[in-house]
């Protein structure tokens, strides 16, 4: 016999919200049983209806807000509730920044088993949390534990994205936002793969919004079918638009389900006329039945195969499939922290693992002896090489391949880094790479992380192998979303 749960489906319960999950759901408890409530904030009291229960937790829908958090604000975006893109618009920006810092601290403590300076789970308000960090930085945290600085936020946390990736579908009825049979494109409804049409996204650069609108209009005029995820039929899958914030140059990528684009000349003509800032029109072919956006084959339809942008005076060529940070204002702050933590004097050998198009590498190269970059996407490495020569930077070299394969080989070839910078994707560093770092014994490791959980896991390995985590700087790269980015300094004990 299964033990009875304290709540069942469709029950109405009253909950005190005591936390926020990494997906932005409020956490409440009934007789020790955890319920997740979308849209509820810590400190609030709500009534909620239980939607679903599992063995140890369940989901509930908020009905009534009995007591609001001081951090509760009206979400400015009219489609916030339907769209899955943002999760924290109902929380003040200040509250978001404090939560992100606390989220890093919680991961370091719970997963990484690290001691954080001036923090304990007893820290309740962000005021005490932040003055705690300030006090801790004065003693450099040697014994007091890891210093976690307040999150660096944006002055104007809207319209910050330089890239839009919009899934394209066909309107079934007026319900989807377009006349039946016309192209729609916007976002996947929260928790589903139903595409909802969108005119504007408040975290997107206006130029990207307007380019997406124009491309949809051109598609409707010229005539193209939308890809249907269920049947695998139809042509246009995604429209991806990138804007260089400094240069103003734009790239439009049409992701299609095969090589053929009907009336291609009309497409190119249409985009060029409607969007004079576009310097590159690219097609990417993705025939796979997957929700990964890009396929392996990319071809330039018109103009350049890259667009250019600049960060702190360094010029970057960016091709369609290359990773480039989406929030340029915050990228500067992120990279600045990474460069500071690297502590360079001009003579050091530095490895930049997961280097993308060589962005961090070139920032580091200005202060280092030599920088070795490694990255798995070959086009990104082509971009990185081009970027080094574009900027007359001669002390950076790049190699395509998996960091966990290439760096061990560099070690056997006698490369001795003073500093290793890693900036892995969400899944964190490969174990083989962590082992190699421990064998190479650099004085410093700078870890740039977009996932506090895998970060904490990896730091624990490096701590056990002889490194001490000194400082953590969270940087808000993705305002209004639950994404938490941070830069970490580790020093060899
Ligand atoms: N540091 C860069 C890119 C960071 S994103 C920047 O700030 O722009 C992470 C990068 O890791 C991506 O470019 C991705 O293609 C790359 N990557 C993923 N797995 C990898 C692996 N095993 N080895 C090397 N690079 C990898």
């Amino acid at each position: 016999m299964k033990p009875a749960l304290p709540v069942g489906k469709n029950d109405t319960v009253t909950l005190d919200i005591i936390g926020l999950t990494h997906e932005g759901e409020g956490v409440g408890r009934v007789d020790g049983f955890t319920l997740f409530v979308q849209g509820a904030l810590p400190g609030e009291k709500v009534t909620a209806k239980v939607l679903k229960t599992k063995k140890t937790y369940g989901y509930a829908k908020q009905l009534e807000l009995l007591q609001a958090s001081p951090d509760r604000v009206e979400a400015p975006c009219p489609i916030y509730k339907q769209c899955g893109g943002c999760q924290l618009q109902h929380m003040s920006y200040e509250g978001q920044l404090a939560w992100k810092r606390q989220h890093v601290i919680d991961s370091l403590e719970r997963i990484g088993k690290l001691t954080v300076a001036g923090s304990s789970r007893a820290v309740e308000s962000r005021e005490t949390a932040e003055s705690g960090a300030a006090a801790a930085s004065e003693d450099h945290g040697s014994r007091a534990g890891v210093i976690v600085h307040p999150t660096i936020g944006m002055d104007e946390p809207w319209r910050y994205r330089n890239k839009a990736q919009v899934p394209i579908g066909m309107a079934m009825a007026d319900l989807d936002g377009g006349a039946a049979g016309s192209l729609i494109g916007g976002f996947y409804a929260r928790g589903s793969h139903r595409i909802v049409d969108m005119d504007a996204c408040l975290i997107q650069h206006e130029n990207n919004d307007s380019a997406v609108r124009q491309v949809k209009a051109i598609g409707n005029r010229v005539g193209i079918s939308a890809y249907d995820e269920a049947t695998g039929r139809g042509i246009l899958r995604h429209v991806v638009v990138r804007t260089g914030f400094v240069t103003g140059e734009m790239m439009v990528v049409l992701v299609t389900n095969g090589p053929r684009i009907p009336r291609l000349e009309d497409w190119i003509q249409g985009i060029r006329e409607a969007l004079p800032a576009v310097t590159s029109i690219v097609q990417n072919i993705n025939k796979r039945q997957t929700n990964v956006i890009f396929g392996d084959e990319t071809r330039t339809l018109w103009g350049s195969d890259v667009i250019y942008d600049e960060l702190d005076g360094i010029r970057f060529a960016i091709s369609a499939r290359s990773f480039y940070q989406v929030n340029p204002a915050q990228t500067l702050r992120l990279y600045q922290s990474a460069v500071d933590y690297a502590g360079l004097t001009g003579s050091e050998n530095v490895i930049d693992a997961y280097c993308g198009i060589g962005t961090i590498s070139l920032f580091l190269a200005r202060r280092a002896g030599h920088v070795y970059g490694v990255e798995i996407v070959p086009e990104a490495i082509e971009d990185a090489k081009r970027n080094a020569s574009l900027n007359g930077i001669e002390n950076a070299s790049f190699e395509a391949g998996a960091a966990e394969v290439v760096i061990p080989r560099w070690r056997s070839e006698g490369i001795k880094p003073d500093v290793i910078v890693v900036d892995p994707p969400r899944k964190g560093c490969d174990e083989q790479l962590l082992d190699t770092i421990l064998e190479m014994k650099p004085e410093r490791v700078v870890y740039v992380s977009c996932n506090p959980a895998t970060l904490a896991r990896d730091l624990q390995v490096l701590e056990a192998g002889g490194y001490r985590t000194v400082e953590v700087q969270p940087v808000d790269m993705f305002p209004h979303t639950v994404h938490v980015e941070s830069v970490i300094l580790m020093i060899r004990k």
Side-chain angles (χ1 to χ4, degrees), residues 214-236:
Q214 301 276 8
V215 172
K216 283 189 285 188
I218 293 163
N220 277 327
R221 197 172 70 228
V222 171
I224 193 164
S225 56
Y227 174 72
D228 181 340
E229 228 179 39
T231 62
R233 287 166 178 256
I235 298 175
L236 189 57

Side-chain angles (χ1 to χ4, degrees), residues 323 325 335 354-356 359-360 374-377 401-404 423-425:
F323 178 89
Q325 298 282 356
Y335 291 177
Y354 309 90
C355 71
T359 42
I360 297 179
V374 55
E375 154 67 44
I376 207 160
V377 175
E404 61 273 18
D423 183 6

Side-chain angles (χ1 to χ4, degrees), residues 424 427-429 434 447 453-463:
K427 68 172 189 239
C429 291
L434 296 174
Y447 196 130
T454 55
L455 165 71
R457 179 200 68 197
D458 292 350
L459 292 189
Q460 204 181 15
V461 175
L462 295 172
E463 286 263 347

Side-chain angles (χ1 to χ4, degrees), residues 351-430:
I351 288 180
D352 181 16
Y354 309 90
C355 71
I357 62 170
T359 42
I360 297 179
S361 320
L362 298 188
F363 270 67
L364 293 163
R366 296 197 284 197
R367 314 262 184 90
H370 194 91
V371 179
Y372 301 85
V374 55
E375 154 67 44
I376 207 160
V377 175
E379 290 99 316
I381 285 295
E382 288 312 305
D383 289 351
K385 290 177 178 165
R386 168 156 34 177
N387 291 334
S389 62
L390 200 63
N391 293 283
I393 294 175
E394 285 169 357
N395 59 337
S397 50
F398 297 95
E399 193 172 322
E404 61 273 18
V405 174
V406 172
I407 296 175
R409 203 192 63 240
W410 285 349
R411 177 170 176 261
S412 67
E413 288 166 4
I415 291 175
K416 292 193 170 65
D418 302 290
V419 181
I420 297 184
V421 178
V422 298
D423 183 6
R426 292 189 60 75
K427 68 172 189 239
C429 291
D430 191 277

